[in-house]
Amino acid sequence: MANASEHTKKRVAVIGAGASGLAAIKECLDEKDSIEVIGFEQESYLGGLWRYVEVSEENPNPHSSVYKSTIINTSKELMSYSDFAIPADWPTYLPNQKVAYYFDLYARHFNLRPQIRFETKVVEVKELKDEKNRWLVRSHPVKATSPIKIKEEIFDYVMMCSGHHWKARYPSFPGMKKDDPEPYSGIQLHSHFYREVDSYKDKNVVVVGLGNSAVDLAVELSLNQSQVYLSCRRGAWIAPRWLLGRPLDHARTRLSHLVPFFLLQLIVASLFKLVVPPHHPNLKPVRLPLSSHTTINTLLPERVTTGTVKPVKNIKKLGPGKRVEFQDGTVVEDVDVIFYCTGYHISFPVLHPDIVTDGKDGSQENRVWTWNYMVPPRHPNMAFVGLFQPLGAIMPISEMQCRFLVRTLVGKLDPLPSEQQMDKEIEARNQYIRTRYDDAARHTIQVDYASYCDSLAKRIGCMPTYGQLVSQFGLIEGTKLWTETIFGPPSPIQYRLVGPHAWEGAREAVWGYAGKQGYASSKYLQEVQEPKAVDQNKDTS
């Protein structure tokens, strides 16, 4: 094992101050004796896509994609950062305003704002290819007047945390473009630009897609007197937020990972069939659960049974006028609006594209080439954080990535594998994904929250094993905590019970989230009213 450097601090650039960027900055500060960290954020606020922003003439393509009614599909117990628990009295599923406020509290608690250069646009991140494999970061103030003066800085390490849900991905249908013969004349929008429902009251609307955004929009529009046609290429499993009296994601315990995968799929399918009405023929999945991203919406089955949401097959042709023809033969003559809920292209325009794809073909299909969802093999001083599609919340997974990356950077963990070994592991992972999931762009970077975080925790030394828990808390309490980690939901806070940078409040927070009497009122599960930072937008240049 290498020792942390006792020489000059390593300069780390964190690009983006959303869910992943905040975790990256905080983890760098945990190693402040070895790291100098600077965050770059082009907006005047933190929180990334979870901060609601209007679409306007001044800002026609905001980075944020949340609409006014967005509610996260992961329970608060499983979306919390590991050493800053979401208050126990907050809702189980947080609306977007609460998620953004939680990020504000997190940044305030760990004093992250002084490390962030707000309203600073990064225009290029370029590898210097010197003996230290350093990086050049070129940036300028967003509100800079002409001529724009570019600032150039050299960093030892770069963490890309700018996200991949910003460049809208559109399908292609005959009649979609204005210069097509007999084109469609109604409104066409990607869901990225949807904000509120009132503009579409009493309209005939087609929603394309069957992911969470598509179903959320279909339900919301139908509740506002719109007739909605939900168009999809293939069916999907539709699940409610609650299953047998518990939040849906609480059912995926570590014990369930010990069950053979095919048997687990059959069990999940049986449970879904027990609590969800039969799928409409056009929504019926062709594969067992966990072979594609489960769509979570409690109200969709009810809206389908009332006819306010009508499932149809994929679009065959648009136009002429407002006519839309579907592949199942359905024709609707007067469609006012089409929403494309068809995902996003993975794009990092400040980087050379070969860094993300390793020069391999497939960028249009969202194929990336990163070891363990983080490191491009030919660029070891660069890491992507949050570049995955989780079965679970992004926050705790990104945080675990940052814990691993930072401790590796300062020499407290073993060095990264060789390029050849990384390539071998990437190919094995991609083969597994192709085998398990549908062949779709959204599944190319699929990751399971608990198993992935456990694999990183073992490398870091924070996996709550029976031996470590007993050593830390004694035989009786350690055994109880270990039992909770196996049979209870895998809360991120469990990764702070033991190991480096363990949190003193972890035990009480774990028991509070588990519903153990007396712990819900723990000070570690309360919203702490702390004084605001004096200089929230301090320039750290």
Side-chain angles (χ1 to χ4, degrees):
M1 296 286 287
N3 293 320
S5 172
E6 297 178 359
H7 304 292
T8 306
K9 290 184 178 181
K10 294 183 182 293
R11 298 192 78 224
V12 176
V14 174
I15 314 300
S20 299
L22 291 176
I25 294 169
K26 188 267 177 185
E27 293 306 318
C28 285
L29 290 177
D30 278 353
E31 300 291 345
K32 60 184 178 182
D33 291 340
S34 303
I35 290 177
E36 174 194 353
V37 60
I38 296 175
F40 295 85
E41 172 53 59
Q42 66 179 359
E43 306 294 349
S44 60
Y45 50 83
L46 51 79
L49 65 84
W50 282 102
R51 184 75 59 178
Y52 176 81
V53 179
E54 289 281 3
V55 177
S56 63
E57 291 185 5
E58 297 76 20
N59 192 9
N61 186 19
H63 183 78
S64 173
S65 59
V66 300
Y67 39 94
K68 284 186 176 180
S69 61
T70 301
I71 298 174
I72 198 166
N73 280 325
T74 309
S75 66
K76 68 173 185 285
E77 294 86 359
L78 292 186
M79 65 160 278
S80 171
Y81 289 117
S82 63
D83 54 0
F84 190 71
I86 295 175
D89 61 354
W90 282 22
T92 300
Y93 292 99
L94 303 184
N96 67 88
Q97 299 89 343
K98 276 285 190 183
V99 176
Y101 180 51
Y102 173 62
F103 291 147
D104 289 337
L105 294 178
Y106 180 78
R108 188 175 72 187
H109 182 76
F110 292 110
N111 197 26
L112 304 183
R113 285 181 179 270
Q115 309 304 130
I116 304 171
R117 295 180 189 168
F118 290 94
E119 297 185 298
T120 300
K121 183 176 181 62
V122 174
V123 294
E124 185 180 22
V125 178
K126 182 179 181 180
E127 194 169 21
L128 292 177
K129 299 186 183 298
D130 61 5
E131 69 282 357
K132 296 182 179 179
N133 293 318
R134 295 180 300 174
W135 294 81
L136 177 69
V137 176
R138 304 176 71 241
S139 66
H140 66 78
V142 170
K143 297 180 180 179
T145 56
S146 183
I148 296 175
K149 185 177 180 180
I150 301 295
K151 184 173 184 176
E152 296 187 344
E153 299 171 87
I154 295 176
F155 290 88
D156 299 292
Y157 198 87
V158 175
M159 302 176 79
M160 291 298 302
C161 306
S162 52
H164 57 282
H165 289 143
W166 66 272
K167 187 177 181 180
R169 182 184 179 93
Y170 290 88
S172 178
F173 300 119
M176 186 174 173
K177 298 177 181 179
K178 291 183 179 179
D179 56 357
D180 285 346
E182 300 183 323
Y184 174 72
S185 62
I187 298 171
Q188 300 181 75
L189 286 173
H190 194 277
S191 58
H192 183 85
F193 304 100
Y194 174 83
R195 288 300 181 267
E196 50 83 26
V197 69
D198 289 343
S199 301
Y200 310 101
K201 186 174 182 179
D202 295 320
K203 304 288 186 182
N204 286 330
V205 181
V206 170
V207 175
V208 180
L210 196 56
N212 290 322
S213 295
V215 171
D216 286 350
L217 262 65
V219 168
E220 180 164 282
L221 291 163
S222 73
L223 291 169
N224 203 44
Q225 289 83 52
S226 293
Q227 176 60 60
V228 178
Y229 298 87
L230 183 58
S231 171
C232 58
R233 291 182 299 170
R234 60 173 68 93
W237 289 91
I238 312 295
R241 282 198 172 99
W242 290 80
L243 182 66
L244 303 180
R246 302 174 67 194
L248 178 65
D249 54 9
H250 286 206
R252 193 77 162 100
T253 66
R254 286 188 177 88
L255 180 65
S256 68
H257 287 270
L258 301 177
V259 179
F261 185 66
F262 180 70
L263 179 58
L264 180 64
Q265 289 181 298
L266 293 178
I267 293 172
V268 173
S270 298
L271 286 173
F272 284 174
K273 291 176 180 178
L274 182 66
V275 299
V276 179
H279 283 69
H280 185 280
N282 287 336
L283 301 180
K284 190 174 182 180
V286 296
R287 300 183 67 180
L288 289 170
L290 308 180
S291 295
S292 61
H293 209 86
T294 300
T295 298
I296 301 174
N297 193 286
T298 304
L299 295 179
L300 178 66
E302 183 269 337
R303 303 310 292 170
V304 170
T305 60
T306 63
T308 52
V309 173
K310 295 183 178 180
V312 291
K313 287 296 185 181
N314 201 22
I315 291 174
K316 181 178 181 180
K317 183 181 182 302
L318 302 179
K322 292 186 177 182
R323 186 178 188 272
V324 178
E325 181 180 352
F326 301 92
Q327 290 180 353
D328 61 1
T330 302
V331 175
V332 183
E333 296 289 347
D334 191 22
V335 174
D336 300 293
V337 186
I338 300 174
F339 282 108
Y340 298 109
C341 305
T342 46
Y344 295 86
H345 290 288
I346 294 175
S347 178
F348 294 88
V350 301
L351 295 174
H352 191 286
D354 285 356
I355 294 175
V356 186
T357 64
D358 201 44
K360 297 174 174 59
D361 188 33
S363 59
Q364 292 302 308
E365 290 76 36
N366 282 354
R367 303 196 187 282
V368 302
W369 196 262
T370 54
W371 175 78
N372 220 356
Y373 299 91
M374 293 178 282
V375 181
R378 258 56 72 187
H379 313 277
N381 286 345
M382 155 78 66
F384 295 90
V385 180
L387 185 53
F388 49 77
Q389 181 69 30
L391 293 176
I394 188 173
M395 285 72 89
I397 307 177
S398 291
E399 181 193 34
M400 191 64 76
Q401 287 184 326
C402 294
R403 293 180 71 180
F404 169 79
L405 291 167
V406 168
R407 290 185 66 78
T408 301
L409 176 62
V410 300
K412 293 183 177 179
L413 295 179
D414 289 326
L416 297 175
S418 66
E419 289 185 18
Q420 295 75 14
Q421 183 61 30
M422 285 188 184
D423 287 335
K424 183 178 179 180
E425 293 182 25
I426 293 170
E427 183 54 50
R429 179 198 72 197
N430 290 346
Q431 180 59 40
Y432 170 76
I433 289 174
R434 288 191 293 267
T435 301
R436 173 174 168 179
Y437 296 103
D438 290 331
D439 184 18
R442 69 183 305 200
H443 291 136
T444 59
I445 49 175
Q446 197 79 40
V447 65
D448 182 84
Y449 155 69
S451 57
Y452 179 61
C453 284
D454 279 357
S455 70
L456 291 177
K458 291 172 183 175
R459 293 175 181 265
I460 296 166
C462 62
M463 182 68 187
T465 62
Y466 181 73
Q468 283 193 294
L469 291 171
V470 169
S471 176
Q472 179 70 24
F473 298 102
L475 179 61
I476 296 177
E477 183 66 6
T479 300
K480 291 179 179 179
L481 285 167
W482 179 79
T483 302
E484 175 62 23
T485 67
I486 300 299
F487 295 94
S491 164
I493 296 168
Q494 295 170 4
Y495 298 116
R496 294 287 180 174
L497 289 167
V498 295
H501 299 294
W503 177 39
E504 63 178 0
R507 186 183 71 88
E508 291 188 23
V510 166
W511 287 134
Y513 277 171
K516 197 169 183 178
Q517 188 173 3
Y519 285 95
S521 59
S522 167
K523 65 179 181 179
Y524 300 110
L525 289 174
Q526 306 303 310
E527 182 180 325
V528 180
Q529 300 298 326
E530 303 176 60
K532 293 183 179 179
V534 175
D535 187 2
Q536 295 187 343
N537 293 338
K538 180 181 178 182
D539 188 349
T540 60
S541 58

